[in-house]
Amino acid sequence: PSLRVVLQAGGKTAMEVKLGEKASQVYLAKGGEQAVYRVAASVLKDLDLQLQEVVQGAAADAAQTGQ
C-alpha cells in the first residue's frame, strides 16, 4: 500500500485502512478483512495529507520541532 491510515480512540486502534495504486486503479483494504475494494482514484488524491495535519500530542510537538 502507498498509504496506511490508522484511526485510534482511547489508545486503541479503532480502524485501519490501506490504500494502494496499481495500473491506474486504486484499491482499499480495511484492517481485519480479507476483501480488497476498487475505489475511485479521487479517494487517494483527496487523502494527500501532511504529517502536521494529522498528528496529535507529543508526536505533533516532535514533528513541529523536527525531532
Side-chain angles (χ1 to χ4, degrees):
S2 57
L3 179 64
R4 179 176 167 249
V5 179
V6 178
L7 302 176
Q8 295 184 328
K12 296 182 180 179
T13 297
M15 179 185 291
E16 176 184 6
V17 176
K18 298 176 187 175
L19 292 147
E21 187 173 13
K22 184 174 183 181
S24 299
Q25 299 290 319
V26 176
Y27 297 92
L28 177 144
K30 183 178 170 188
E33 291 186 11
Q34 297 268 338
V36 175
Y37 304 93
R38 187 173 58 169
V39 297
S42 61
V43 170
L44 194 56
K45 291 177 186 172
D46 290 345
L47 290 174
D48 184 19
L49 302 172
Q50 299 298 315
L51 181 60
Q52 299 87 320
E53 296 174 311
V54 295
V55 294
Q56 298 177 3
D61 295 339
Q64 289 176 353
T65 60
Q67 297 179 1

